[in-house]
Amino acid sequence: MKKNLLSYDIFVDDLLSKLKIKKNTNYNVCVCDVCEKKHFKIITSKSLLSSDKNLYCYLPVVNCKICGHSQQLIKFNDKFYNNYYMNIIEKNILTKKNIKLRFENSVRRGEALKFFLEKKLKKNFNGKKILDVGCGYGGMLLPFAKKGSETFGVDPDKDSINYGKKNNKFSKLLNIDAEKMKFKKKSFDLVIINGSLEHVHNMNLVLKKVSDYIKDKGILFLEGKGFPLDIVENFFNFNHHRIFTKRTFNNVALKYNFKPIYSSYKSELSNLKSVFAHSHQKNYKLLKQNYKKNKKGNLIWVGIKSKLKLKKKYIKDNFILKHFNLEKNFL
Ligand SMILES: [Zn+2]
């Protein structure tokens, strides 16, 4: 990357003033989340800040030239993100409206996940130990818990956890950042990370922990935004630190000894998350039409924890570059 592009103060100031946050917040220019190199191509210099106000901030989203992973280039400290999620996102996006509907939807998604694991992958987790990282209200765990599974969930949002504790008394829900969770090594049979890996501050730390806590041959279930819904929904927004594809999930999972066994943009789970979960949003109709037309929703991915050490390899992904209109001039 050219040297004159390494100072982002002007963009950071723009963001902070839009968020009404005091200046001089520390930030870093990141390495790639996946391959940890620093060879990027900027794919957009603008990130959506608020869909309600159609407000953008000038912060670059980049694509890694080595492995093809896409992410935000600039990262702030944990204090900044905690404030951002608790005081800004919470107020603007996670309104308390439709909370019952959202909870019910998360239970339905849990049912769909259970069905998918049993019917499609022939995996039964009745009576087994399950962890949901970024569990929200803990609704996804409920169908598993009711079948005798020992279920745990962590989420940084206190209100979601409190709502979950009242409505899912079968699971142990903890109000803690995924980076700070602590569980016994090799104790879980299934770990769910549903739409949370985009948001975590330190993805590598979270996956390292998950890899430690999961048993050999245990299952990791990931869910993330997927093309083309990510474009319709304006996925490259400030709220999402990174975007995944089938191949970048494969690349990152291999680092933590997970072997990919399944991935898809088309499933009942994708449908539930991509469409129904957003029924409170203004662009709901558009999302529904788009899903109907493309039959593609969020990306789901499943991996199995290998006992043997897997070889790290970064197979370059061109999916995002191929589908996204690149901005030619950054400045
Ligand atoms: Zn990379």
Side-chain angles (χ1 to χ4, degrees):
M1 189 164 292
K2 283 179 196 163
K3 223 178 177 175
N4 65 346
L5 293 185
L6 286 175
S7 173
Y8 294 97
D9 291 0
I10 186 166
F11 304 115
V12 171
D13 283 351
D14 169 67
L15 170 73
L16 297 178
S17 71
K18 281 173 182 158
L19 291 176
K20 299 188 177 67
I21 287 175
K22 66 174 166 65
K23 306 242 163 157
N24 306 322
T25 298
N26 289 336
Y27 68 90
N28 292 313
V29 175
C30 307
V31 295
C32 171
D33 277 336
V34 179
C35 71
E36 290 161 38
K37 300 280 190 301
K38 217 173 188 171
H39 301 289
F40 297 119
K41 184 174 197 154
I42 290 170
I43 52 177
T44 176
S45 55
K46 279 200 298 189
S47 295
L48 184 71
L49 199 54
S50 160
S51 53
D52 284 352
K53 294 172 195 148
N54 205 25
L55 187 67
Y56 285 82
C57 58
Y58 286 89
L59 280 180
V61 178
V62 291
N63 183 268
C64 173
K65 286 182 182 175
I66 313 290
C67 73
H69 175 64
S70 296
Q71 63 178 61
Q72 285 177 6
L73 183 64
I74 287 173
K75 195 170 243 167
F76 298 91
N77 57 26
D78 289 359
K79 207 174 136 194
F80 168 86
Y81 289 112
N82 288 339
N83 176 52
Y84 173 73
Y85 280 101
M86 294 305 153
N87 300 322
I88 295 163
I89 285 287
E90 169 95 353
K91 272 185 202 146
N92 294 338
I93 297 173
L94 299 173
T95 58
K96 300 293 170 260
K97 276 188 277 174
N98 304 313
I99 194 159
K100 194 167 171 270
L101 185 74
R102 284 157 179 259
F103 176 75
E104 285 165 3
N105 178 254
S106 66
V107 176
R108 278 181 62 189
R109 278 188 277 135
E111 281 161 2
L113 174 61
K114 195 168 180 304
F115 184 81
F116 162 80
L117 293 167
E118 284 166 12
K119 298 288 176 245
K120 193 102 186 171
L121 298 187
K122 311 276 178 233
K123 305 269 178 202
N124 191 311
F125 292 97
N126 292 348
K128 299 284 175 70
K129 205 169 161 184
I130 302 171
L131 169 67
D132 185 346
V133 179
C135 65
Y137 318 113
M140 278 191 93
L141 291 169
L142 194 55
F144 293 94
K146 282 186 170 172
K147 291 284 176 191
S149 301
E150 198 186 345
T151 51
F152 295 79
V154 295
D155 199 281
D157 185 56
K158 204 174 163 187
D159 291 342
S160 298
I161 289 289
N162 286 340
Y163 187 88
K165 279 181 175 171
K166 281 182 204 139
N167 293 280
N168 173 5
K169 294 195 191 304
F170 299 93
S171 302
K172 192 167 185 197
L173 306 178
L174 306 164
N175 177 216
I176 192 168
D177 289 346
E179 289 87 346
K180 289 179 188 148
M181 63 182 170
K182 252 188 187 164
F183 294 100
K184 221 176 118 196
K185 283 195 175 183
K186 295 194 180 187
S187 60
F188 288 99
D189 299 282
L190 168 68
V191 176
I192 303 163
I193 312 183
N194 189 80
S196 305
L197 216 49
E198 295 95 333
H199 299 276
V200 297
H201 306 176
N202 188 339
M203 182 188 77
N204 284 294
L205 178 58
V206 172
L207 288 174
K208 164 84 177 61
K209 286 188 169 226
V210 165
S211 180
D212 285 346
Y213 302 154
I214 207 161
K215 288 178 185 170
D216 290 336
K217 294 191 179 166
I219 293 290
L220 172 64
F221 173 83
L222 301 175
E223 190 267 7
K225 297 281 182 192
F227 183 84
L229 277 177
D230 46 10
I231 306 297
V232 177
E233 286 189 71
N234 211 332
F235 181 78
F236 290 107
N237 61 36
F238 186 67
N239 189 20
H240 295 119
H241 297 235
R242 50 193 79 82
I243 181 171
F244 296 98
T245 63
K246 288 182 182 181
R247 194 169 271 175
T248 56
F249 264 153
N250 288 353
N251 283 340
V252 76
L254 277 173
K255 279 171 82 176
Y256 299 98
N257 240 22
F258 290 101
K259 205 171 140 192
I261 55 170
Y262 183 89
S263 59
S264 174
Y265 290 99
K266 301 176 190 180
S267 71
E268 178 62 11
L269 282 166
S270 301
N271 184 5
L272 286 170
K273 180 68 195 285
S274 311
V275 184
F276 187 76
H278 295 101
S279 55
H280 61 287
Q281 285 184 357
K282 277 181 189 165
N283 58 352
Y284 177 55
K285 256 191 180 160
L286 184 66
L287 288 177
K288 218 170 160 180
Q289 278 167 10
N290 195 67
Y291 184 81
K292 255 187 169 169
K293 203 170 93 199
N294 294 290
K295 294 267 180 256
K296 281 181 179 177
N298 282 14
L299 168 61
I300 61 170
W301 183 99
V302 185
I304 189 162
K305 174 79 190 290
S306 171
K307 199 175 174 179
L308 303 168
K309 188 93 196 116
L310 298 173
K311 209 177 152 203
K312 275 191 217 174
K313 53 179 175 186
Y314 302 115
I315 301 172
K316 184 157 185 213
D317 182 64
N318 293 313
F319 192 77
I320 290 179
L321 283 184
K322 225 161 63 187
H323 289 93
F324 202 75
N325 292 325
L326 298 182
E327 277 184 28
K328 293 213 170 53
N329 302 307
F330 175 53
L331 288 172

